[in-house]
Amino acid sequence: MKKVFSYLKFYWWQIPLIFVLVFSQTLLELELPDYMSRIINEGILSKDIPLIIQIGTQMLLIALAVSALAITVSFISARIGASLSNRIRKDLFVKIENFSLIEFEKFTTASLITRNTNDVQQVQMIITMMLRMMISAPLYAIIGFSKAYALNASMSWIFAVVIPLLVFMIVTLFSLVTPRYKLVQTLIDKLNLAARENLTGIRVIRAFNAQPTQQEKFHDISEQVRVNSTILQQIMSFMFPGIMLIMSLSTILIVWVGADRINAGTLNVGDMLAFIQYATSMLFSFVMLSMAFIMYPRAAVSGKRIAEVLAIEPQINDPEYPKTNDCSLCGEITFENVYFRYPDAQEDVLRDVSFTAKAGTTTAFIGSTGSGKSTIVNLIPRFYDVTGGSIKIDGIDIRDYKQTTLRDKIGYIPQKGVLFSGSIDSNIRYGTVNAKDEDIVEALEIAQASEIVAEKAEGLEYLIAQGATNVSGGQKQRLSIARALAKKPEIYIFDDSFSALDYKTDAFLRKALKDKLADATVLIVGQRVSTIRHADQIIVLENGAIVGSGTHHQLLEQCPVYLEIAASQLSKEELA
Ligand SMILES: Nc1ncnc2c1ncn2[C@@H]1O[C@H](COP(=O)(O)OP(=O)(O)OP(=O)(O)O)[C@@H](O)[C@H]1O
Ligand SMILES: [Mg+2]
C-alpha cells in the first residue's frame, strides 16, 4: 500500500482541505446534542415557545451547514479517489507497455488485466473511504466521549461496559472475515482466468465438444466463490444487528441509570438525551473504523499486486549512450555466435548461430517446426536479448541502439497476423500515422491486399472487428504485410507470413516484393521451398543450429537436410 499512498502527494492541497472540512463538520455535528439538551431543559420543560423556535432555528442552520460540508467532502474525496486510480491505471499501462516478453510471461496477461482494473478499483474504494473517515472517526470518539464525560462523569462507567463489548465483537468478526477476503480475491483471479480462456478458446471448445468439461471447471471455481462469499455475507450479517444491539443496550443502560438520577434531581432530561447521543456517536465511530479495517486487508492485497507490477524493471532497456550511424545503404544484419535460451528454460534454443544478411539481399530460413526460426527473427527487434554472442545492424550491436531507433528500422510481420479493432486504414497506418495516401495504396498493392479493400463497400474504412474475426487468415496476413510495407523500413522480417496464402498470391507477392524492395534487407521464414528458393541466401536450421547455408542450388548439392525438405515438396523435374 506504500506505493499506492505515495500517489496521495499529487493531492497535497485537496487532502488538507478535506481534513479541515471534515474537522469542522464533525465539530458542528457534535454541537447538536448540546442544543437539543437546551431545547428540552430550557424550552420544552418551561414551555418557552420563542426559545424553542430560536434554538430550533439555530439547530436547523447547523444541520444545513453539516450537510453542505458533508456533500463537499464527498465530492472532493470522490474526485481524489477517481483521479488517483486514473493515475495508477495510466502508470500501470505505461509500465506494462514497456514490458519485454519476459515480464509478460511472468505475470500472465489475465493477471495484468485484473491488476489494472479490479485491483485499482479496490484501492480507489479504500482511499475514498479513508479520506472521509480518517479524521472524523477519531474525532467522534474523542469529542463524543469528552462531551459525555463533561455532561455526567458519574455515568461514564457505562462506556467501560459497552466499548469492550463492541471491540470484542468487531475483532471476532474481523478475524473471521479477513482470511476469507484474501481467499475470495485469489478465487476471483482464477475465475477471470477461466472466463478468459473459455471465451478466447470458444471455437476450439465447440469443435471438440468440450463445453461440459469447461463448464465443470468454471462451475468449480464459481462454486468456491459462491460458498466463500456466502460465508462472508453470513458473518457480516451479524455485524450490523450486533452493533445496533450493543447501541440499544447502551441506550437502555443510560436511560435506566439516568432515570434514577433524574428522579433524584441530579440529572435533567435534556442532558440524558444529549448523553445518549454522544454515546451513540462515539460507538458509531468504532463501527466506522472497523469497516475501514475490514476493507483494508482486501485493498492492501490489491495495492501489493499493483506495486509488484510498478516495481518491475523491464529486462530490456535502452543503453545509456545510444549509438546511431549514417550509412548510405543501411540494413546489414550480422549474427555473431549467437546463443539463446528462453527465461526459465533448461536448454539453449539457439546454438552458435552466425550469418550475415547483406543490405538489399533476401535471406530465408527453413527448418522443421521448433527448430528456432521464429526465435532467430524475434531476437532482431529485441523481443528478447541474446544470452550469448551478439547481433549487429550496420556494425552496431542492437543493444546499443535506442529501442525506438532499432524498431523503426524494422518492418515485422508476425507468424500469427495481428490486427487491431478499427478501420483497415488505421491498421495500415499503425506504424506511420503520417503516411501519404499513395503510400497506403502502394503498400496494399504490393501486399496483394488491394482486392480485400476493393471487395468491401466501405473500402479502407471497413471496420476490423476485435480480434480480427471478420477477415480470413490469409487476408489478415496480407494486411499485416501491408502494414509493415507502409512503414518503409530498411529491414523486413516475414515470419512465415506467406503460410496462409494460396500459391498464386504467394508468387505474386514475392515478385512485387522483389521489385519494390530492392534496397531493403529481407528475412523470410518459410516452410515451403517454393517460397524461399529464390532467396540470395538460404539458412537451414535444425535444433537451433545452422546445418547449411547458401543458395537453393548449392544447398541441394551440399546439405542433406535441405535436400530432404526439398525432395518432399518439389517434383523430380524441379529438383534437377
Ligand atoms: N516463449 C517461449 N518460452 C519457452 N520456450 C519457447 C518459447 N517460444 C518458443 N520456445 C521453444 O523454442 C523452440 C523454437 O521455437 P520457434 O518458435 O523458434 O520455432 P520455429 O522454428 O519458429 O517453429 P515453427 O515452424 O513451428 O514456427 C521450440 O522448441 C519452442 O518450444
Ligand atoms: Mg515460428
Side-chain angles (χ1 to χ4, degrees), residues 370 373-375 415 495-496 525 527:
K373 305 182 296 293
S374 298
T375 309
Q415 185 160 11
D495 187 354
D496 216 355
V525 172
Q527 308 275 7

Tab-separated table of all heavy atoms in Angstrom, residues 370 373-375 415 495-496 525 527, ligand 2:
chain	number	residue	atom	x	y	z
A	370	GLY	N	9.785	-25.875	-34.640
A	370	GLY	CA	10.513	-25.893	-33.377
A	370	GLY	C	12.017	-25.828	-33.552
A	370	GLY	O	12.758	-25.947	-32.583
A	373	LYS	N	13.386	-20.976	-35.898
A	373	LYS	CA	13.312	-19.931	-36.923
A	373	LYS	C	12.706	-18.647	-36.356
A	373	LYS	O	13.286	-17.567	-36.482
A	373	LYS	CB	12.473	-20.425	-38.111
A	373	LYS	CG	12.965	-21.733	-38.704
A	373	LYS	CD	12.138	-22.157	-39.888
A	373	LYS	CE	10.677	-22.467	-39.564
A	373	LYS	NZ	10.483	-23.658	-38.721
A	374	SER	N	11.535	-18.777	-35.718
A	374	SER	CA	10.901	-17.578	-35.150
A	374	SER	C	11.792	-16.963	-34.083
A	374	SER	O	11.896	-15.737	-33.978
A	374	SER	CB	9.548	-17.925	-34.527
A	374	SER	OG	8.675	-18.410	-35.497
A	375	THR	N	12.426	-17.831	-33.297
A	375	THR	CA	13.285	-17.323	-32.229
A	375	THR	C	14.378	-16.428	-32.808
A	375	THR	O	14.624	-15.338	-32.297
A	375	THR	CB	13.901	-18.491	-31.449
A	375	THR	OG1	12.854	-19.379	-31.064
A	375	THR	CG2	14.633	-18.009	-30.229
A	415	GLN	N	4.272	-14.256	-37.102
A	415	GLN	CA	3.800	-15.540	-37.627
A	415	GLN	C	2.278	-15.607	-37.602
A	415	GLN	O	1.648	-16.099	-38.506
A	415	GLN	CB	4.411	-16.683	-36.808
A	415	GLN	CG	4.094	-18.066	-37.333
A	415	GLN	CD	5.075	-19.118	-36.823
A	415	GLN	OE1	5.866	-18.875	-35.923
A	415	GLN	NE2	5.028	-20.295	-37.401
A	495	ASP	N	7.879	-13.548	-40.752
A	495	ASP	CA	7.932	-14.823	-40.029
A	495	ASP	C	6.822	-15.723	-40.538
A	495	ASP	O	5.691	-15.670	-40.054
A	495	ASP	CB	7.807	-14.590	-38.520
A	495	ASP	CG	8.042	-15.892	-37.738
A	495	ASP	OD1	8.186	-16.941	-38.378
A	495	ASP	OD2	8.068	-15.839	-36.496
A	496	ASP	N	7.138	-16.534	-41.494
A	496	ASP	CA	6.165	-17.479	-42.036
A	496	ASP	C	4.895	-16.756	-42.462
A	496	ASP	O	3.796	-17.269	-42.316
A	496	ASP	CB	5.817	-18.521	-40.957
A	496	ASP	CG	5.608	-19.887	-41.574
A	496	ASP	OD1	5.647	-19.978	-42.807
A	496	ASP	OD2	5.414	-20.854	-40.823
A	525	VAL	N	11.049	-16.253	-43.133
A	525	VAL	CA	10.960	-17.586	-42.564
A	525	VAL	C	9.902	-18.314	-43.372
A	525	VAL	O	8.822	-17.760	-43.598
A	525	VAL	CB	10.538	-17.538	-41.083
A	525	VAL	CG1	10.267	-18.934	-40.558
A	525	VAL	CG2	11.608	-16.845	-40.262
A	527	GLN	N	8.110	-22.275	-44.765
A	527	GLN	CA	8.041	-23.733	-44.695
A	527	GLN	C	8.102	-24.323	-46.099
A	527	GLN	O	8.456	-25.477	-46.281
A	527	GLN	CB	6.727	-24.188	-44.049
A	527	GLN	CG	6.419	-23.564	-42.721
A	527	GLN	CD	7.087	-24.299	-41.585
A	527	GLN	OE1	7.883	-25.195	-41.821
A	527	GLN	NE2	6.780	-23.917	-40.353
B	2	MG	MG	7.830	-19.999	-35.972
